[in-house]
Amino acid sequence: MPKSTVSREEMKRLSSLSPFELKAEFIELAQRSAADQSGQQVKLTRTMLNAGRGNPNWVATGPREAYHALGYFALEESRRVWTADDLGGMPEQAGSAARFEKFVRTHADLPGIDMLKSSVDLAITRFGFEPDAFLHELTDSSIADTYPGPGRILVHAERIIRGYIHDELFAGDPPADNLSLFATEGGTAAMCYIFDSLLKNGILRKGDKVALMVPEFTPYLEIPELDTYDFEVVRVEANMFAETGVREWRYPTEEIAKLEDPAVKMVCLVNPSNPPSLALSQRVTDQIKQIVAGPNPNLIIVTDDVYGTFVDGFRSIAADLPRNSLLVYSYSKHYGATGWRLGVIGLHDDNVIDELLAAQPREQKDRLNKRYGTLSLEPEKIKFIDRLVADSRQVALNHTAGVSLPQQVVMTLFSLFDMQPEGQAYKERLRAIVQCRLQLLLEGAQMKIADDPKRAAYYIELDLLAEAERTEGREFAEFLQKNYEPVDPLFRLAEQTSVVLLNGGGFDGPEWSVRASLANLNDLDYLKIGHHLRAIFNDYIAAWKESTGS
């Protein structure tokens, strides 16, 4: 294969972009190379394979059918109250459970009705709900005829989603303390709200020292560098090797020890990691527990656990360190629901953030009392989880805060689906899909990764420089570094094969690493991507051997 037409200087310039912005350049190259242009006509000669973004190509149909079936019942409830052409009324609570049972009997052939019925029955049985109250929350929220209330999260939705988190993220063994939840517009909003409120409440100050467990999802790298925060960043690096040329993507003891410094106010981690896609080891969890019990008791841990459901027996660090952890979770990846924007922030009621707020000096408390004084006659007693809600709407719009009610209904139904045999079978199918795609990619690329039972396999990060040393020796690795930019393989892939991957260096991983999403293409596409990656790697080997005369 020929060299890329993009110069080293241009590659170096573009490498300063976020991986997701650089991806646009790769896509443009890939689309251009996939077309044979002749005059005014463009003929596609190959399909672009974009494994650069983690939007999955699956959707959970069962709970979605249940949601749409609920919509028909909710409309019937609305028309029962008031009917005038296309005008309906607000559903009533009294007797709603009995009317739902009748609706189920008379609409037995409605797609999704069985899943809806089993979900409702499960919720009432497991959580002890009063049937009319729960059915009214579902129907009224499906119609979405009122503002969200409470603004933080709906009453029944919170208990169900908390149960889902206990099952899937806390390995069925939650801490005794209550986990309060704030429903957000996906994990994206959760990140923004957390950084914003920690700063506004003086828990973090501009220029404070925060730690990032890298490689890491790029917003956690980029937000601290904004002039709003200007945090001093300590990088905790997953730099362990299983053998020469084979990265473990695990954190050595000396890296985790960086968190012992009391000046480190917060650590952000994605668990399982993105892009290496590995759940945190028990060894690291235990070491962080020792740090919190000793030299850094007020360390705030932001743990983003969106990929936790892809690892058997996953347990969030928030389950082991509930007082210190802010939990972020999104339904987007597991349920193929990126367009719905479904996420939550979780914070246990007994937590170090509220403790730090209570210990603030009088001057700081007075400032915050003024900020939140319109919400309560005793603003000092407003918990951090509720300050997150207020800050998300600039405080003044706290009375209209909250994720849309239909979004909260979908989160409720997704959670109840998972608690049933159908949901567990769905979860196992997803795990098998991504593991199969991983093996096909490795088969095509002829590359080796470390065996790890905690591998989520939603992504894979391959260190091409380490692979060069493993297969051909250090001299070949040095040849690559001397003669090419680290992103050169990605430009070649896009330009010569119409394959789009992301640069691992943009996630604070090794500069010569590449990230592939294993979620968004058909299975055999990953075999093709592996073959293309191997072919480009072989071209580098050939160029190296030619340069040495061998």
Side-chain angles (χ1 to χ4, degrees):
M1 290 184 182
K3 294 181 179 180
S4 171
T5 60
V6 180
S7 68
R8 285 194 71 174
E9 291 73 19
E10 180 67 1
M11 288 184 191
K12 188 177 294 185
R13 188 180 69 84
L14 291 171
S15 293
S16 64
L17 295 173
S18 161
F20 296 99
E21 304 306 322
L22 181 57
K23 174 170 63 72
E25 300 289 333
F26 297 146
I27 289 174
E28 184 179 344
L29 277 173
Q31 289 174 333
R32 195 186 311 148
S33 70
D36 176 23
Q37 299 189 32
S38 177
Q40 297 298 314
Q41 294 185 337
V42 176
K43 179 183 177 182
L44 293 179
T45 58
R46 60 173 173 256
T47 302
M48 181 178 71
L49 299 177
N50 180 2
R53 194 165 191 184
N55 197 116
N57 65 348
W58 58 71
V59 297
T61 56
R64 281 176 167 88
E65 278 192 332
Y67 172 76
H68 291 297
L70 172 64
Y72 283 106
F73 172 65
L75 285 170
E76 189 169 289
E77 286 286 278
S78 175
R79 292 187 178 114
R80 173 185 167 273
V81 174
W82 189 0
T83 300
D85 296 326
D86 288 328
L87 187 150
M90 302 173 79
E92 294 179 342
Q93 178 171 316
S96 59
R99 292 192 296 274
F100 175 71
E101 292 294 335
K102 181 181 178 182
F103 180 86
V104 171
R105 290 194 301 271
T106 56
H107 294 78
D109 295 332
L110 181 65
I113 196 67
D114 291 338
M115 176 56 65
L116 177 61
K117 175 68 163 63
S118 64
S119 297
V120 168
D121 289 347
L122 171 64
I124 292 170
T125 301
R126 174 170 172 176
F127 299 101
F129 293 154
E130 197 284 313
D132 278 359
F134 178 51
L135 261 299
H136 184 256
E137 179 175 292
L138 289 178
T139 54
D140 200 45
S141 299
S142 176
I143 292 292
D145 56 2
T146 61
Y147 289 106
R152 181 163 58 78
I153 192 170
L154 294 171
V155 173
H156 298 87
E158 181 174 30
R159 291 186 62 187
I160 291 168
I161 294 167
R162 183 189 299 125
Y164 171 73
I165 289 172
H166 287 173
D167 291 351
E168 291 295 345
L169 303 185
F170 290 0
D173 184 21
D177 189 34
N178 180 63
L179 178 69
S180 291
L181 299 174
F182 170 26
T184 62
E185 302 87 346
T188 299
M191 290 181 225
C192 296
Y193 297 158
I194 286 171
F195 276 94
D196 182 59
S197 284
L198 287 172
L199 193 72
K200 283 190 167 76
N201 280 274
I203 301 300
L204 294 179
R205 295 179 179 276
K206 189 171 183 177
D208 272 353
K209 188 179 289 189
V210 302
L212 305 176
M213 297 183 71
V214 298
E216 187 155 38
F217 184 42
T218 55
Y220 289 106
L221 305 175
E222 296 168 7
I223 290 174
E225 295 182 353
L226 296 175
D227 59 5
T228 304
Y229 306 100
D230 197 23
F231 291 142
E232 180 183 345
V233 173
V234 176
R235 283 167 170 76
V236 180
E237 298 183 10
N239 55 18
M240 293 177 69
F241 280 81
E243 59 183 84
T244 300
V246 180
R247 286 187 176 272
E248 278 190 335
W249 301 109
R250 291 295 182 188
Y251 302 94
T253 302
E254 61 270 19
E255 287 293 310
I256 299 299
K258 294 176 180 178
L259 304 179
E260 294 175 359
D261 181 1
V264 175
K265 302 292 183 64
M266 178 177 73
V267 58
C268 297
L269 65 144
V270 179
N271 184 26
S273 53
N274 175 8
S277 208
L278 298 174
L280 206 63
S281 70
Q282 191 60 49
R283 173 186 60 79
V284 169
T285 298
D286 290 342
Q287 187 179 354
I288 297 175
K289 287 168 67 175
Q290 292 170 2
I291 289 170
V292 167
N296 199 356
N298 292 326
L299 178 68
I300 296 168
I301 303 166
V302 176
T303 178
D304 187 334
D305 296 351
V306 60
Y307 307 103
T309 53
F310 290 86
V311 175
D312 186 40
F314 176 80
R315 184 171 176 82
S316 170
I317 196 169
D320 291 317
L321 286 169
R323 292 194 73 249
N324 296 74
S325 298
L326 273 164
L327 171 72
V328 173
Y329 180 72
S330 165
Y331 287 78
S332 61
K333 304 303 194 296
H334 187 83
Y335 294 95
T338 51
W340 266 105
R341 315 311 299 140
L342 308 175
V344 289
I345 297 171
L347 181 63
H348 285 89
D349 291 349
D350 176 20
N351 64 81
V352 297
I353 301 177
D354 285 334
E355 202 171 81
L356 291 169
L357 286 172
Q360 286 178 332
R362 186 73 259 164
E363 181 182 355
Q364 175 75 342
K365 286 182 178 180
D366 289 343
R367 182 184 71 81
L368 292 173
N369 286 346
K370 183 177 181 181
R371 177 176 179 81
Y372 300 110
T374 58
L375 308 182
S376 170
L377 295 177
E378 298 179 294
E380 282 185 33
K381 294 183 178 180
I382 299 176
K383 295 183 176 182
F384 183 72
I385 190 82
D386 294 311
R387 297 183 188 208
L388 280 164
V389 180
D391 291 338
S392 76
R393 297 299 183 267
Q394 293 293 304
V395 182
L397 290 165
N398 183 66
H399 62 289
T400 59
V403 163
S404 78
L405 297 177
Q407 287 171 283
Q408 296 193 53
V409 171
V410 172
M411 285 193 277
T412 297
L413 292 175
F414 280 163
S415 299
L416 290 169
F417 173 69
D418 180 79
M419 296 172 192
Q420 299 176 69
E422 296 90 339
Q424 290 300 298
Y426 170 83
K427 178 176 68 177
E428 293 304 321
R429 280 194 290 273
L430 294 190
R431 291 174 178 177
I433 287 168
V434 292
Q435 292 289 346
C436 172
R437 292 173 179 178
L438 172 61
Q439 294 308 314
L440 288 169
L441 177 66
L442 294 174
E443 178 185 337
Q446 300 171 36
M447 293 182 181
K448 185 176 181 180
I449 63 172
D451 292 331
D452 199 312
K454 290 197 171 188
R455 186 180 297 280
Y458 196 93
Y459 304 103
I460 184 65
E461 184 167 11
L462 298 171
D463 186 346
L464 302 185
L465 202 65
E467 178 69 9
E469 185 172 352
R470 182 183 77 85
T471 55
E472 302 293 333
R474 183 175 295 276
E475 288 185 5
F476 176 46
E478 291 173 350
F479 168 82
L480 290 178
Q481 289 179 294
K482 180 180 178 181
N483 291 279
Y484 305 98
E485 289 301 305
V487 293
D488 187 88
L490 298 173
F491 279 94
R492 291 196 188 201
L493 280 170
E495 194 171 7
Q496 298 167 14
T497 72
S498 299
V499 166
V500 176
L501 304 180
L502 295 189
N503 55 316
F507 297 81
D508 255 19
E511 285 191 330
W512 276 84
S513 63
V514 298
R515 185 193 88 153
S517 164
L518 299 167
N520 64 325
L521 296 171
N522 295 325
D523 294 2
L524 290 178
D525 288 335
Y526 290 96
L527 183 63
K528 296 174 186 176
I529 290 173
H531 284 311
H532 289 314
L533 190 57
R534 169 47 57 182
I536 284 175
F537 198 74
N538 287 343
D539 285 344
Y540 289 127
I541 294 174
W544 169 59
K545 290 184 175 179
E546 182 180 348
S547 72
T548 60
S550 58

